[in-house]
Amino acid sequence: MATTIHPSKPALTSNDSQVLQALFDAESSPSSSAVQIDPSLPALPATLNISAEDHTTLKNRELAIIQILQSSPTTETIETAISNLSTLITEFPNYPSAYVNRAQALRLLIESTSQSETETADPLFAPQNTQPSSTLFSDLTTAITLATPSSPTTPVSTAQARILSDAHTHRGYILLKGAKSRRTPSFGEQAGPDALKGMGADQLEEMASRDFFFGGQYGNEIARQLAVQTNPYAKMCGAIVKEALRKEVEGA
């Protein structure tokens, strides 16, 4: 009597499923869930202990600082903006938006005072800029920590989403610049922000991809596109497809 063989169903672990999902959906993330943005929520979460009145005052002060900076972005006005934002942060250390804007001002200062024409890597990762780039990266991380909800399923306000979108996207940009600099022979793994010392190019690029993913989830379309381009699983899948096509062409 013939024996009937019933093929068993392949058993995939949860991690295998997550990896396969990432392979075929470059915008997916193994540990992510859809972000819920609720315009009816207060601008900042109650955990930050910033009242609506204080928030209005802070926004007005912050806007005045940024307007002066935008109207005349000289080294002097950039330094003044950084100083004024630092005062704001000292008075209200739980106000995430000030950290995001100080990070932006620090980047402007680094780029405006660097001799980028004679450097072989991004000035943010030049040895002489370690201190300001470290503060810049720390500011973005602090803003993300303050604004991120306690649970992935907790809705965020429109203002909160904007802060997280800007901070994740900017930090992703720094990490991607770091990965490029790491691949430049004259800049080693000790260059750049202190928090990134010793990290290699591939690690920084993977971290950038994750930040771009969240930047996209919170509303930044450019970050969403960059998340796809830097997704390590998507790159691996692309490389496999290219190799298969190459072999097919050679065989033909």
Side-chain angles (χ1 to χ4, degrees):
M1 182 176 63
T3 302
T4 302
I5 300 175
H6 299 282
S8 60
K9 294 182 180 179
L12 292 178
T13 65
S14 59
N15 184 66
D16 290 336
S17 298
Q18 290 163 358
V19 170
L20 285 174
Q21 182 184 5
L23 275 170
F24 295 103
D25 178 6
E27 295 188 20
S28 69
S29 174
S31 60
S32 69
S33 59
V35 171
Q36 300 179 52
I37 301 175
D38 185 350
S40 68
L41 290 173
L44 297 177
T47 53
L48 298 184
N49 296 317
I50 296 176
S51 67
E53 293 76 12
D54 283 339
H55 182 236
T56 299
T57 301
L58 287 168
K59 279 200 305 182
N60 290 335
R61 289 175 60 183
E62 192 175 21
L63 181 60
I65 295 169
I66 300 305
Q67 285 178 333
I68 294 174
L69 179 59
Q70 290 176 334
S71 64
S72 178
T74 63
T75 300
E76 183 179 357
T77 56
I78 295 172
E79 290 176 339
T80 299
I82 292 171
S83 176
N84 290 338
L85 287 167
S86 295
T87 299
L88 209 61
I89 288 170
T90 299
E91 295 175 13
F92 291 87
N94 286 344
Y95 183 52
S97 182
Y99 291 96
V100 175
N101 281 310
R102 186 170 70 175
Q104 180 64 30
L106 282 164
R107 194 178 114 203
L108 287 174
L109 181 64
I110 291 171
E111 293 176 346
S112 67
T113 58
S114 70
Q115 302 297 320
S116 57
E117 295 81 3
T118 61
E119 293 174 349
T120 56
D122 194 278
L124 290 164
F125 282 76
Q128 67 270 23
N129 293 324
T130 297
Q131 192 276 326
S133 67
S134 295
T135 302
L136 187 166
F137 194 84
S138 176
D139 278 354
L140 294 173
T141 300
T142 299
I144 291 169
T145 300
L146 289 171
T148 298
S150 57
S151 167
T153 58
T154 301
V156 299
S157 68
T158 303
Q160 192 178 352
R162 177 63 183 271
I163 290 168
L164 288 166
S165 171
D166 289 348
H168 275 293
T169 303
H170 194 173
R171 193 172 69 173
Y173 169 86
I174 302 301
L175 289 164
L176 195 59
K177 288 286 187 178
K180 182 179 179 180
S181 293
R182 291 288 193 265
R183 295 186 174 106
T184 303
S186 59
F187 283 72
E189 293 187 357
Q190 298 306 310
D194 290 333
L196 306 182
K197 295 286 177 68
M199 295 184 183
D202 290 342
Q203 184 178 2
L204 292 179
E205 191 166 329
E206 288 181 18
M207 292 166 64
S209 180
R210 184 171 180 81
D211 264 330
F212 287 139
F213 171 81
F214 283 111
Q217 285 283 288
Y218 285 111
N220 190 302
E221 288 302 319
I222 294 176
R224 194 187 305 274
Q225 295 171 23
L226 287 170
V228 174
Q229 295 174 21
T230 56
N231 185 300
Y233 296 127
K235 283 187 169 183
M236 181 174 67
C237 187
I240 293 171
V241 171
K242 286 180 181 179
E243 179 64 14
L245 289 173
R246 184 186 66 80
K247 289 182 178 179
E248 183 176 344
V249 170
E250 289 178 352

